[in-house]
Amino acid sequence: MSEEKGHYTLEEILEQANAWRAVLAYITGKEESIRAFFRDPAVDIIFSGCGSSYYLGIMASSIFQTITGMSARAVPSSEIFLFDKVVFAENRKYRLVSISRSGTTTEIIIARNFAKENYDLKELVISCYPDSELAKGGDEKLIAEKSQEKSVVMTKALTSMLLLAQLSAAIVSDNKEYQKELEALPERGEEVIKNFHSLAKSLGEDGCYDKFVFLGGGPYFGAACEVMLKLKEMALVSSQAFHMLEFRHGPKSVIDDKTLVGAFLSDSGKDYEVKLLEELRRLGASTFVFCDKADEGIKEVADYLVEIDSGLSEMARVGLYLPIAQLFAYYKAISRGINPDKPKHLDQVVEL
Ligand code: F1P
């Protein structure tokens, strides 16, 4: 066992493609129970989680709704028992999808018990631990067992549980084309990590930025939030996340020449997003742009470019960008002398 700083985090980031392979193998044979759980199209799906698992819920719910057409949204687990009328409307039927790497976070357990007692709903658990309290109490469970982690910060567990949610959407909607795209992720993931590891390292080690903003719309908003959290947790730097065009409405005031703006470009919003980046560069920001295929317009607004060239749709390729953003946060931590395996004030699980 190595004592090297950040050893587990780095290993877990780099082995993501294999973790996704294990998820793809695991899902085979689970199709019927997944279809049965989501059979009633008239229910609203609530994704619940804390921290990274909540941000994963934001990604998963926007993808799930887009792919299946079923109504889905994400809430932090605590909202379920503290503000249940905000979460659940009268005369609606719900299904709960509880997401937790550990399956033991106190709030998600309270939330599930509260929701089951008061709203008579069925629950699907997405986790990495089959014998956790959360997983054992779920009506259905999907477990990314090979994605259990030693590091406090979540990296491969997050993208593996995201893949479980994406595969569920493909299965429920019987969308073979989407399923095929998801099956291509491990191979694409390996290429992306190989091609952009050194960019993530050099930018992470670059000390000329002191403000970090991550932007994304649709399925990429949750990704922007997650990277914002990774930078805070691993590197202890101040970072923010916004919906892409929302950044114009006030937050752009913080921009100066020490600001790095990370942007996950979508297919749906690309033209607007490129114009926004033009504006932010005029204000002094540097841009760290994630896209699939970069045309001239994108190249002109990107100071640092992660062009993954996967050929995959915007709902399939979300997880491909995350290893590079995680590596960026990892090297930022290392260059600041911080051990990303054991971030300040944090434990792997928050148990109250
Ligand atoms: C959720 C979580 C993590 C966070 C922190 C504490 O855990 O909030 O996102 O990084 O280390 O726990 P879980 O419910 O997914 O196990």
Side-chain angles (χ1 to χ4, degrees), residues 182-206:
L182 300 176
E183 285 165 5
L185 286 175
E187 208 175 311
R188 298 282 176 283
E190 265 161 10
E191 288 161 16
V192 169
I193 292 175
K194 190 163 114 256
N195 294 341
F196 295 100
H197 189 159
S198 64
L199 170 64
K201 182 169 189 294
S202 59
L203 190 53
E205 288 169 349
D206 188 336

Side-chain angles (χ1 to χ4, degrees), residues 118-187:
N118 294 282
Y119 291 93
D120 184 31
L121 43 68
K122 293 238 177 306
E123 181 200 33
L124 166 68
V125 172
I126 299 183
S127 179
C128 296
Y129 290 86
D131 299 322
S132 60
E133 185 178 350
L134 188 73
K136 283 209 281 204
D139 298 293
E140 287 296 339
K141 57 184 173 191
L142 293 174
I143 306 293
E145 209 167 340
K146 295 260 160 54
S147 299
Q148 294 173 1
E149 292 171 319
K150 293 205 170 69
S151 174
V152 167
V153 294
M154 212 190 289
T155 55
K156 72 170 174 172
L158 181 124
T159 53
S160 299
M161 293 192 289
L162 173 63
L163 181 54
L164 282 172
Q166 289 176 299
L167 285 163
S168 302
I171 290 164
V172 170
S173 57
D174 201 20
N175 187 334
K176 298 272 186 300
E177 209 178 304
Y178 186 56
Q179 172 113 19
K180 256 189 122 184
E181 290 195 286
L182 300 176
E183 285 165 5
L185 286 175
E187 208 175 311

Side-chain angles (χ1 to χ4, degrees), residues 192 196 199 288-292 304-308 321 324:
V192 169
F196 295 100
L199 170 64
F288 183 17
V289 176
F290 295 77
C291 72
D292 197 50
Y304 309 98
L305 181 62
V306 177
E307 180 189 11
I308 60 172
Y321 297 133
I324 304 308

